[in-house]
Amino acid sequence: MKTLERIFAEKLLAVQAVKLQPEQPFTWASGWKSPFYCDNRKTLSFTDLRTFVKVELTRLVMENFAEADVVAGVATGAIAQGALVADAVGKPFVYVRSKPKDHGLENLIEGELKPGQKVVVVEDLISTGGSSLKAVEAIRKAGCEVVGMVASYTYGFDVAKKAFEEANVPLITLTNYEAVLEAALATGYITEAQIPTLNEWRKDPANWKK
């Protein structure tokens, strides 16, 4: 029987939300060169897949963080997914900006969040974990407790694992790097000869060179 990680990885590949280009690397916003790119926001355009993501993220929340009073999405990628989950579990929704708005109320957190509330954070993708944990910090500064985070995908970088451990934030994801590689190899999207390059990149993505 296929795992959830493998099933979702295959679905991402089917809609080309994941791109693997070892010979023609992408450049991330961080400046890192990467043979791998994942765009979970593409799932929003496919009704069946959008429902799948909503149902599975909701299940993760209910099984692991049912004590949460509020669902928070991380802007901008997880605003839609977070709102879908909040609606499914019948809880209030807020979202956290990467930086305060430069006009009006200059909000960093949009929506109503009260001190003392327990919050589960929804994220679309985890790379280094930096932006995700900045959202956690903002929620904690607002006087709330972050009980955990759910996300669609993680690259599983060591730097992210360490950062989440140090921040004391449990993280559960629908799929991950290993599952995507397995699915991509099984479907012929990549070859065995490309695996060493992809694995070498993942060991030290900040310094990787093609």
Side-chain angles (χ1 to χ4, degrees):
M1 183 181 293
K2 290 183 180 178
T3 63
L4 169 62
E5 289 86 353
R6 178 64 180 270
I7 291 169
F8 187 43
E10 291 176 356
K11 290 179 180 293
L12 288 175
L13 286 162
V15 300
Q16 298 183 331
V18 169
K19 299 218 178 261
L20 296 165
Q21 296 180 186
E23 283 75 38
Q24 294 177 295
F26 302 95
T27 301
W28 287 0
S30 62
W32 289 6
K33 295 291 182 182
S34 169
F36 194 124
Y37 191 81
C38 183
D39 182 7
N40 283 301
R41 285 170 285 198
K42 200 166 184 180
T43 62
L44 296 168
S45 298
F46 299 86
T47 54
D48 289 347
L49 185 50
R50 183 176 67 222
T51 299
F52 177 89
V53 172
K54 177 184 74 172
V55 168
E56 292 302 331
L57 285 177
T58 298
R59 182 181 60 79
L60 292 185
V61 168
M62 295 305 294
E63 289 180 357
N64 300 280
F65 310 114
E67 72 272 29
D69 305 305
V70 179
V71 176
V74 181
T76 59
I79 292 177
Q81 292 175 345
L84 288 168
V85 171
D87 189 60
V89 299
K91 295 183 186 294
F93 175 71
V94 302
Y95 70 85
V96 187
R97 294 175 174 273
S98 58
K99 58 183 179 180
K101 200 163 53 172
D102 60 4
H103 60 279
L105 298 176
E106 300 182 352
N107 292 336
L108 180 58
I109 299 174
E110 297 288 4
E112 185 168 339
L113 195 58
K114 300 173 183 176
Q117 288 184 310
K118 294 181 178 180
V119 181
V120 60
V121 181
V122 177
E123 180 63 287
D124 69 322
L125 178 146
I126 307 294
S127 53
T128 64
S131 58
S132 307
L133 293 174
K134 274 182 66 178
V136 168
E137 183 182 358
I139 293 167
R140 286 172 170 169
K141 283 185 176 178
C144 297
E145 176 188 350
V146 174
V147 295
M149 184 181 299
V150 297
S152 293
Y153 173 82
T154 179
Y155 284 103
F157 294 141
D158 288 340
V159 64
K161 292 177 182 177
K162 183 179 178 182
F164 273 85
E165 287 172 3
E166 290 178 348
N168 194 27
V169 178
L171 171 66
I172 305 174
T173 64
L174 294 184
T175 194
N176 51 54
Y177 176 86
E178 289 87 357
V180 169
L181 246 61
E182 286 176 9
L185 190 59
T187 57
Y189 185 63
I190 59 173
T191 66
E192 285 280 3
Q194 292 172 313
I195 294 292
T197 298
L198 291 163
N199 285 337
E200 192 64 30
W201 163 75
R202 187 166 174 254
K203 288 178 185 175
D204 189 10
N207 298 303
W208 180 79
K209 293 180 181 178
K210 178 178 173 294

